[in-house]
């Protein structure tokens, strides 16, 4: 509990003691003045801040809020001589508020646990000496030390040492990975067992961890439909209720003579019950909890509107390479026309050296250092096709059949179910390299759990050729697969799917070549995004590692969150409607009304906190 919360608790206790004393004195029938003094003392101890807040919003002309409702209701009760009820209104209200602020603090904390990935210091080696500085001060290419149990402060490459790295703060994945010289490591992970030296490759602002933190911090800004509904609702609802209360106080007594004060009393009760706080607080809290619970599992949702869309999806569209497959290709064959094999691979690697595409990286790795002796200029990547460059004096084009067509070179080979990389030099066909990718071990399970979750449509898109597309799709029980697509074709197909499907459409990709599709989908999910900045920007949901099973998990968390939010709306509105009727007919007193109001709020808040604890 914070200091402020403890103060409120103290006031609640003191005020309750005065209230009980006042009731006892009242019962004895004597000392009427003393009991009134006790009632008023209890009232001011518990209610002074509410009345002051109501007065200040009155001055700013935002007069219809819950402080205002509580103030007129309780002041009204006191004026009517209903001392006990007046104090009870404030007391219950404060108990509810205290409870709420504790609940909100609790969900904040679980998000803060995620925020814990923010590294706070780095041990840099400057002129052979170790210095501890904040991670923002470290530059690219600086060398840092990370010891056992320490958090890795910046993205980088291991220079020396071997260690086990715990990536669970970022990904929720609990199995540690071992790293050695040359391995890439990401900031936010924890080095568990020994000292390693790291060369920094990205400044702190550019590192994935600060991008993720930014993303989570901003995620509360985009509101879901139900949250927007509640805000709008409160705006119209409160004035309507106040007008209804005034009418209730003034009109019936013209016809029914229950005594003037009785109708005013009923109007006040009506006001207390109508307070919309249960909704205003519990619905955003549900989404807050849902986002927090997802992020603890390495699923970062950029706003509650996306959580809502996830819950309503009926179609999942996958990109193939890097999403369903590992995206780490191996070279399976080199088939030159007349060049030497090694030279063919080296020329190919020279042209591909700056591409981020997994195929390009494979070819470059296969060439070793061979390609470095070539002078390369005019390098350009043709998205979804390959790369073109001038290597020494040769015009080199490396890529798929579509690229060969683009540069006017005919190629006929189509080597079974492996992906083919063709090479053309100076407008002549020079041969091809075959590469193969493996399907992720858990991809089949993910597709099956999507089907179990009643996702009707599962589709695969790929820029690869038909044979590869069919092999992967049939291994994963995906009925619909589109092949040989350029990034622009993918957008077009996705648009067709969106317009023909009833529910929302998810697109899951790895962010390489597919940023436009990620943006276009109702929910764009970027996988394994810890390396790719473009993906973090373009996607609506970011999955920190590349575990594809997080997609069905995200859908389940989203559905649960939305169910809970809906339960709260229905429950709170139902109880309110019931008590409003009871109040209007004089069947419930003021204390009952407050109790109903605070009770509903507490139950709704407890219910929304269930979103924090999603169990698989
Ligand atoms: P996917 O849709 O499966 O993710 P991409 O759109 O990334 O595939 O690429 C489609 C195809 O384009 C690849 O299968 C490959 O044949 C070719 N390609 C794209 N970029 C390159 C590159 N840099 N080098 C070689 N081939 C490439
Ligand atoms: Mg791709």
């Amino acid at each position: 509990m914070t200091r402020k919360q403890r103060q409120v608790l103290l006031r609640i206790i003191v005020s309750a003691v005065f209230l009980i004393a006042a009731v006892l004195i009242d019962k004895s029938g004597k000392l009427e003045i003393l009991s009134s003094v006790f009632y008023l003392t209890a009232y001011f101890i518990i209610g002074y801040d509410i009345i002051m807040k109501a007065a200040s919003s009155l001055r700013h002309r935002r007069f219809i809020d819950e402080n205002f409702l509580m103030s007129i209701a309780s002041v009204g009760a006191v004026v009517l001589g209903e001392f006990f009820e007046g104090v009870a209104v404030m007391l219950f209200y404060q108990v509810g508020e205290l409870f709420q602020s504790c609940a909100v603090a609790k969900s904040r904390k679980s998000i803060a646990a995620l925020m814990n990935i923010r590294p706070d210091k780095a041990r840099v080696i400057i002129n052979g000496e170790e210095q501890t500085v904040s991670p923002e001060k470290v530059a690219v290419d600086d060398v840092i030390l990370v010891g056992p149990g320490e958090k890795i402060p910046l993205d980088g490459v291991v220079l020396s040492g071997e260690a086990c790295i715990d990536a669970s703060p970022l990904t929720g994945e609990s199995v540690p990975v071992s790293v050695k010289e040359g391995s890439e490591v990401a900031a936010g992970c924890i080095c568990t067992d020994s000292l390693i030296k790291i060369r920094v490759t990205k400044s702190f602002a550019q590192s994935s961890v600060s991008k993720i933190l930014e993303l989570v911090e901003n995620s509360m800004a985009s509101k879901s439909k139900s949250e927007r509904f509640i805000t709008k609702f409160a705006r119209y609802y409160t004035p309507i209720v106040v007008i209804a209360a005034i009418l209730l106080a003034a009109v019936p007594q013209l016809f029914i003579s229950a005594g003037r004060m009785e109708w005013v009393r009923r109007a006040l009760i009506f006001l207390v019950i109508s307070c919309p706080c249960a909704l205003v607080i519990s619905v955003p809290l549900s989404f807050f909890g849902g986002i927090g619970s997802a992020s603890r599992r390495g699923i970062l949702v950029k706003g509650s509107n996306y959580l809502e869309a996830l819950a309503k999806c009926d179609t999942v569209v996958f990109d193939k390479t890097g999403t369903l497959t590992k995206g780490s290709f191996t070279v399976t064959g080199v088939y030159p026309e007349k060049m030497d094999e090694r030279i063919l691979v080296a020329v190919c690697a020279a042209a591909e050296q700056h591409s981020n595409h997994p195929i390009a990286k494979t070819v470059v790795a296969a060439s070793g250092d061979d390609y470095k002796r070539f002078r390369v200029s005019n390098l350009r990547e043709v998205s979804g096709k390959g790369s073109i460059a001038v290597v020494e004096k040769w015009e080199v084009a490396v890529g798929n059949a579509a690229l060969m067509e683009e540069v006017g070179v005919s190629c006929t080979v189509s080597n079974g179910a492996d992906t083919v990389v063709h090479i053309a030099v100076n407008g002549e066909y020079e041969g091809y390299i075959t590469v193969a990718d493996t399907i992720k071990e858990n991809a089949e399970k993910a597709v099956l759990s999507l089907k179990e979750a009643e996702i009707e449509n599962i589709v695969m898109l790929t820029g690869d050729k038909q044979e590869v597309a069919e092999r992967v799709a049939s291994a994963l029980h995906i009925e619909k697969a589109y092949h040989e697509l350029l990034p622009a074709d993918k957008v077009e197909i996705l648009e067709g799917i969106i317009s023909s499907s009833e529910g929302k459409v998810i697109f899951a990709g790895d962010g390489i070549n597919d940023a436009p599709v990620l943006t276009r989908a109702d929910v764009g999910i970027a996988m394994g995004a810890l390396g790719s900045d473009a993906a973090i920007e373009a996607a609506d949901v970011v999955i920190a590692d590349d575990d594809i099973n997080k997609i069905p998990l995200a859908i389940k968390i989203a559905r649960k969150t939305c169910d809970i939010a809906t339960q709260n709306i229905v429950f709170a509105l139902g109880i309110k409607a019931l008590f409003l009727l009871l109040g209007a007919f004089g069947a419930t007193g003021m204390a009952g009304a407050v109790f109903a109001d605070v009770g509903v709020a507490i139950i709704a808040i407890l219910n929304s906190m269930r979103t924090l604890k999603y169990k698989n």
Side-chain angles (χ1 to χ4, degrees):
M1 260 196 206
T2 62
R3 232 189 73 204
K4 215 171 142 207
Q5 286 168 341
R6 255 176 285 150
Q7 268 175 12
V8 175
L9 184 63
L10 187 67
R11 280 169 54 202
I12 290 174
I13 294 170
V14 174
S15 163
V17 169
F18 271 99
L19 181 63
I20 292 168
V23 172
L24 292 179
I25 297 169
D26 219 1
K27 277 256 163 65
S28 74
K30 287 165 253 159
L31 300 166
E32 227 172 76
I33 297 181
L34 188 62
S35 76
S36 308
V37 170
F38 273 39
Y39 275 126
L40 287 178
T41 313
Y43 181 73
F44 281 109
I45 289 175
I46 199 66
Y48 73 90
D49 56 337
I50 307 283
I51 293 177
M52 262 151 56
K53 275 187 219 157
S56 109
S57 48
L58 207 58
R59 240 178 290 128
H60 294 98
R61 292 179 183 281
R62 286 172 318 196
F63 52 95
I64 301 172
D65 63 1
E66 44 185 24
N67 294 317
F68 178 75
L69 284 179
M70 284 302 156
S71 300
I72 47 168
S74 60
V75 170
V78 172
V79 170
L80 291 180
E82 310 260 4
F83 287 131
F84 176 79
E85 311 225 298
V87 181
V89 167
M90 282 298 182
L91 207 54
F92 285 141
Y93 179 69
Q94 292 281 27
V95 170
E97 290 287 291
L98 178 64
F99 196 83
Q100 257 163 39
S101 79
C102 291
V104 171
K106 187 162 178 238
S107 7
R108 282 258 154 75
K109 223 185 247 161
S110 77
I111 293 201
L114 176 89
M115 295 307 188
N116 229 348
I117 58 179
R118 179 190 290 286
D120 43 15
K121 62 178 173 50
R123 292 155 62 182
V124 204
I125 301 182
I126 298 170
N127 303 329
E129 261 179 60
E130 190 187 316
Q131 281 182 21
T132 303
V133 298
S134 77
E136 286 86 355
K137 299 227 170 75
V138 181
V140 172
D141 282 336
D142 277 357
V143 174
I144 55 171
L145 289 177
V146 181
E150 288 179 357
K151 211 174 286 163
I152 298 176
L154 295 121
D155 293 358
V157 177
V158 178
L159 278 183
S160 66
E162 280 181 28
C164 271
I165 302 287
D166 173 11
S168 63
L170 287 186
T171 63
E173 171 58 67
S174 54
V175 184
V177 274
S178 56
V179 295
K180 54 179 196 294
E181 196 185 322
S183 313
E184 286 182 13
V185 287
C189 299
I190 293 164
C191 173
T192 59
D193 53 355
S194 54
L195 186 81
I196 47 176
K197 234 185 213 177
I198 296 170
R199 184 176 58 79
V200 175
T201 51
K202 274 185 194 164
S203 71
F204 185 70
Q206 289 302 312
S207 72
S208 15
V209 67
S210 57
K211 294 237 154 96
I212 286 172
L213 286 170
E214 207 174 292
L215 191 158
V216 176
E217 276 160 11
N218 292 337
S219 72
M220 300 303 149
S222 7
K223 295 246 181 313
S224 69
K225 253 201 213 129
S226 4
E227 283 173 284
R228 279 195 302 254
F229 164 75
I230 294 302
T231 324
K232 248 206 199 137
F233 179 78
R235 200 179 317 140
Y236 294 108
Y237 169 85
T238 322
I240 290 176
V241 161
V242 171
I243 291 168
I246 294 171
L247 291 179
L248 187 64
V251 179
Q253 53 179 304
L254 301 179
F255 309 103
I256 309 164
S257 57
R260 187 190 295 162
M261 282 309 148
E262 175 57 18
W263 287 109
V264 174
R265 203 177 75 94
R266 287 187 196 179
L268 290 174
I269 292 171
F270 187 89
L271 276 183
V272 174
I273 302 167
S274 63
C275 199
C277 36
L279 290 176
V280 171
I281 285 148
S282 73
V283 172
L285 193 65
S286 314
F287 282 101
F288 194 65
I291 290 179
S293 145
S295 31
R296 265 185 295 154
R297 289 167 179 81
I299 305 165
L300 308 163
V301 183
K302 282 194 184 171
S304 39
N305 50 335
Y306 300 116
L307 212 55
E308 205 166 43
L310 272 177
K312 289 192 192 135
C313 93
D314 68 348
T315 305
V316 178
V317 180
F318 286 105
D319 188 39
K320 179 183 74 82
T321 313
T323 308
L324 292 171
T325 66
K326 287 184 180 158
S328 57
F329 289 80
T330 44
V331 173
T332 49
V334 183
Y335 306 89
E337 291 284 295
K338 42 193 182 294
M339 255 186 223
D340 174 69
E341 266 186 32
R342 252 182 89 174
I343 296 177
L344 186 76
V345 175
V347 169
C348 196
E352 291 268 48
Q353 58 185 310
H354 293 306
S355 165
N356 269 327
H357 199 278
I359 295 182
K361 288 189 169 163
T362 312
V363 175
V364 173
S367 163
D369 280 338
D370 286 358
Y371 73 94
K372 288 188 180 151
R373 58 198 165 98
F374 292 122
R375 249 182 316 122
V376 179
S377 57
N378 291 355
L379 209 149
R380 111 187 128 88
E381 185 158 6
V382 188
S383 184
K385 293 183 179 176
S387 300
I388 293 179
V390 176
V391 179
E392 296 293 338
K393 289 196 177 62
W394 308 310
E395 292 274 351
V396 178
V398 182
N400 56 14
L403 185 74
M404 292 299 113
E405 197 175 306
E406 191 176 312
V407 297
V409 173
S410 70
C411 62
T412 46
V413 279
S414 169
N415 202 298
D418 281 353
T419 303
V420 179
V421 184
H422 302 279
I423 301 113
V425 176
N426 289 338
E428 292 216 15
Y429 193 63
E430 284 296 343
Y432 62 96
I433 299 172
T434 54
V435 292
D437 195 359
T438 38
I439 296 175
K440 284 186 190 164
E441 283 102 12
N442 48 16
E444 188 178 358
K445 192 175 147 227
V447 172
L448 292 180
S449 29
L450 283 175
K451 288 189 173 172
E452 234 166 70
E454 284 165 16
I455 301 294
E456 288 162 22
N457 250 325
I458 299 176
V459 184
M460 184 183 93
L461 305 183
T462 179
D464 217 335
K465 55 186 189 147
Q466 189 173 1
E467 290 93 329
V468 185
E470 277 168 4
R471 176 174 60 88
V472 174
S474 77
L476 294 177
H477 322 287
I478 296 177
E479 283 87 24
K480 258 182 252 161
Y482 297 86
H483 52 86
E484 277 157 83
L485 303 172
L486 292 176
D489 303 331
K490 291 186 186 173
V491 175
E492 206 170 289
I493 290 188
L494 187 80
E495 277 172 349
I497 294 174
I498 290 175
S499 64
S500 69
S501 80
E502 279 168 27
K504 300 281 179 191
V505 177
I506 294 178
F507 176 82
D510 62 353
I512 295 172
N513 278 351
D514 47 25
V517 210
L518 280 174
T519 317
R520 183 63 191 85
D522 293 323
V523 187
I525 304 185
M527 309 278 312
L530 277 185
S532 159
D533 300 345
I536 294 187
E537 304 268 308
D540 308 315
V541 176
V542 174
I543 293 181
D545 55 9
D546 51 14
D547 181 1
I548 188 167
N549 280 294
K550 299 255 168 86
I551 296 175
L553 180 62
I555 294 176
K556 284 179 200 154
I557 292 178
R559 284 184 183 166
K560 185 177 169 194
T561 304
C562 290
D563 282 352
I564 288 175
T566 313
Q567 283 162 15
N568 283 345
I569 294 177
V570 172
F571 170 68
L573 287 184
I575 298 285
K576 295 254 135 155
L578 180 70
F579 270 79
L580 281 178
L581 281 179
L582 288 179
F585 288 107
T588 172
M590 177 93 52
V594 181
F595 199 71
D597 181 60
V598 175
V600 170
I602 290 179
I603 293 173
I605 290 167
L606 280 180
N607 192 31
S608 55
M609 288 181 74
R610 290 196 302 132
T611 52
L612 277 174
K613 301 194 192 79
Y614 180 84
K615 287 201 191 69
N616 218 355

